[in-house]
Amino acid sequence: MPPAPAIPNTRARSAVVSRHEWEGYRCESRLVPAVSPRIAPLVLVGGAFQTKESWGRLERELLAHVDVFTVDLPGWGAGNVLPDRHGADFLADALGHMIDEAGLTSVHLVGGSYGTAIAYRLAQRRPELVAKMVLVGTMTSIPGHARVAMRRTLDLLVEGRMEEFAQETVAFMVNADRIDSVAAGTRVRRFLMRRMLNLSDEDVEKHLSNTMRLLRHEMLDTSRPPGMPVLVATGEHDAFTTPELCRALAATCSDSWFTRVADADHMLPLERPVELADLITHFLMGEPLEQLSYCRGVERTSPLCATP
C-alpha cells in the first residue's frame, strides 16, 4: 500500500511522517531532509526502546550532511505489537518495504543495539539497496549468561516489579563500574531509569514480545556476509556488547572496520552523539578514520583495502 499523507510533526516541521503497513502490521517512517545533502540518505534503526522521533542530538548533527530516515517498525513506537514468532527477516523485510515506499533507491544504514540485527539482515537480503552500513553496539549471538539475565527482567516485568525491572534492565546498558569514565554517564543512567519506570501498558507488551524474539530466534545469520563496506563501533567501556563481541561481528563482514569510542559505554548515541555523528559521516564519505581523536584505534577486520 502507498504511504499515507504526511502527519504534522511539531518536533521537526520539515519532517515527512508516513504510515505504512507490512503483512498486516502498522509501521511509520519519518524523513527529514538536510539543507545540502552530500551523500545518499541515511536510515537509522534503533534499539529496544528507540522511536523514530527520539534520536535527538545525533540526528541533528547528521542533518548537516545527509537526509535522515527514521522508523517505527512493527513492535516499536507507532507500530503495533509484533508477536515474537516473527524474527529478524520479517523486520528487515518491513524496513525494506518502508524504504521502497519512501522512494529511496540507495541508502546508508546505521543500526544501534537491537537494530543492528535488522540492519545486517536487510544488507544481506537487499544488497542493491545498501551502499554502506554502520553497526553500533552489536554481537553475533547473545551469550548464555545474558539470556538468563534477560529472562529474569521479563519475569520482573510480568510480575509488575517495575523498580527491579528498571534496575536490572539498565544494568545491561550501563557499566556501573565505569560510569564515572563515561561522558554523561550518570545523566544517561537517570534518563534510562525514568524511561523504564514510565512504560505504558502497550510499551510493556512490545518489550515482552521484542525481547522474547531475541531469545527465541537466531537474529543473525553470518554465513552470508554483507558485501558493502561496514563499520562496527562500540563504547570502550561497553560491558553488554563488548568490544570483543563487536570485533567478532565485524570479522563476519567481507569489507569491514572496527573501532572503540573513548569515554563511552553501550548508549553511544546518548553519551557521545557529536562524536558518533562525526564518525559515521567520516566513514560514509570515505574519509580516513585513523586520526579521529575520540577513537581508540581503528582496525581493519577484513582483507580488503586499508581505507574506507
Side-chain angles (χ1 to χ4, degrees):
M1 60 179 289
I7 303 168
N9 188 305
T10 57
R11 294 188 64 182
R13 293 184 183 278
S14 59
V16 175
V17 178
S18 299
R19 296 190 185 97
H20 310 264
E21 183 177 307
W22 180 247
E23 300 293 327
Y25 292 95
R26 183 177 67 249
C27 40
E28 287 190 0
S29 65
R30 178 174 176 269
L31 178 62
V32 185
V35 174
S36 301
R38 300 167 60 189
I39 53 177
L42 185 153
V43 177
L44 290 173
V45 190
F49 299 97
Q50 195 88 45
T51 69
K52 64 184 182 299
E53 298 91 1
S54 62
W55 289 93
R57 181 69 181 274
L58 177 65
E59 181 186 272
R60 294 195 295 274
E61 294 291 330
L62 291 168
L63 283 168
H65 309 282
V66 60
D67 298 345
V68 176
F69 187 78
T70 60
V71 295
D72 285 339
L73 292 166
W76 276 262
N80 43 9
V81 176
L82 182 67
D84 61 66
R85 66 177 180 272
H86 297 293
D89 287 356
F90 183 94
L91 289 165
D93 290 343
L95 177 59
H97 172 73
M98 296 165 76
I99 293 169
D100 290 341
E101 287 201 330
L104 307 179
T105 57
S106 177
V107 300
H108 299 297
L109 272 183
V110 175
S113 195
Y114 199 127
T116 60
I118 301 166
Y120 190 98
R121 296 298 285 139
L122 180 63
Q124 289 175 310
R125 296 168 75 82
R126 298 282 305 277
E128 78 289 349
L129 184 61
V130 181
K132 289 185 178 182
M133 180 166 63
V134 179
L135 304 176
V136 182
T138 189
M139 59 179 74
T140 56
S141 61
I142 302 172
H145 71 276
R147 288 179 173 272
V148 172
M150 291 169 75
R151 288 186 182 276
R152 162 72 176 166
T153 66
L154 296 188
D155 290 342
L156 293 171
L157 188 56
V158 169
E159 294 168 10
R161 297 159 64 181
M162 298 305 294
E163 184 72 32
E164 293 170 85
F165 161 76
Q167 290 176 351
E168 295 198 22
T169 301
V170 171
F172 284 139
M173 306 178 193
V174 175
N175 184 345
D177 294 336
R178 302 307 300 268
I179 195 167
D180 293 335
S181 301
V182 173
T186 301
R187 178 174 59 81
V188 168
R189 186 185 187 282
R190 287 198 301 265
F191 167 79
L192 292 172
M193 285 294 296
R194 286 196 303 271
R195 179 75 177 93
M196 299 301 104
L197 289 170
N198 289 282
L199 298 179
S200 67
D201 290 345
E202 185 177 32
D203 289 336
V204 168
E205 191 175 357
K206 288 175 180 175
H207 183 66
L208 289 169
S209 292
N210 290 344
T211 305
M212 282 304 301
R213 188 177 353 273
L214 288 175
L215 297 172
R216 178 176 178 178
H217 298 273
E218 197 64 44
M219 296 292 283
L220 284 176
D221 172 10
T222 59
S223 64
R224 295 184 296 109
M228 70 288 299
V230 177
L231 171 66
V232 178
T234 191
E236 64 174 339
H237 302 307
D238 191 339
F240 179 35
T241 56
T242 64
E244 292 73 23
L245 292 172
C246 290
R247 184 185 292 108
L249 188 282
T252 72
C253 302
S254 58
D255 187 7
S256 59
W257 292 258
F258 167 72
T259 191
R260 296 170 295 131
V261 176
D263 305 323
D265 194 353
H266 185 64
M267 302 302 295
L268 255 175
L270 294 176
E271 296 155 356
R272 304 209 70 182
V274 175
E275 291 79 7
L276 181 56
D278 187 62
L279 175 63
I280 290 169
T281 52
H282 267 76
F283 178 70
L284 298 184
M285 293 179 186
E287 298 171 350
L289 308 179
E290 288 78 8
Q291 301 307 312
L292 298 176
S293 61
Y294 50 81
C295 286
R296 300 292 196 213
V298 177
E299 303 173 29
R300 194 71 165 96
T301 51
S302 59
L304 302 183
C305 59
T307 59

